[in-house]
Amino acid sequence: MTGRPERTCVGCREVGDKSVLLRVRRSPDGEVAFDASGTAPGRGAYVHPTARCIEAATHKGALAKALRTGIGPDELGRLGDTMSQGAL
């Protein structure tokens, strides 16, 4: 245990330091969006900033399951693109 916050990547299921993972959140009104600050209110899910993890999280349905909501294909594509840009 490192004493620092750790979270599990929904893409690869590996535990990592929260500061190196990307956060996606479902807001209280149901909107799903990339959370660059990592502190926005709502249910969150974390993904490593790699193409492999982002693709696994969005295409296997793991992200929607972690956020406990349905995410349409267009929204998933937009979210994947946004996360990929945030990973740069």
Side-chain angles (χ1 to χ4, degrees), residues 32-68:
V32 175
F34 170 59
D35 177 14
S37 71
T39 60
R43 182 166 187 82
Y46 294 83
V47 182
H48 281 111
T50 64
R52 182 179 66 96
C53 287
I54 292 169
E55 184 174 326
T58 56
H59 288 92
K60 290 182 181 178
L63 188 60
K65 185 175 181 179
L67 295 174
R68 297 180 185 166

Side-chain angles (χ1 to χ4, degrees), residues 23-40:
R23 182 174 187 256
V24 179
R25 63 124 182 169
R26 181 193 53 158
S27 68
D29 66 356
E31 178 190 3
V32 175
F34 170 59
D35 177 14
S37 71
T39 60

Side-chain angles (χ1 to χ4, degrees), residues 2-88:
T2 64
R4 297 174 68 177
E6 294 181 331
R7 300 292 185 266
T8 302
C9 172
V10 296
C12 67
R13 305 298 304 160
E14 291 181 14
V15 175
D17 191 343
K18 179 182 172 184
S19 66
V20 300
L21 296 168
L22 302 174
R23 182 174 187 256
V24 179
R25 63 124 182 169
R26 181 193 53 158
S27 68
D29 66 356
E31 178 190 3
V32 175
F34 170 59
D35 177 14
S37 71
T39 60
R43 182 166 187 82
Y46 294 83
V47 182
H48 281 111
T50 64
R52 182 179 66 96
C53 287
I54 292 169
E55 184 174 326
T58 56
H59 288 92
K60 290 182 181 178
L63 188 60
K65 185 175 181 179
L67 295 174
R68 297 180 185 166
T69 190
I71 304 174
D74 292 337
E75 190 174 20
L76 270 177
R78 178 189 53 79
L79 195 55
D81 292 343
T82 303
M83 286 192 305
S84 295
Q85 292 172 1
L88 299 177

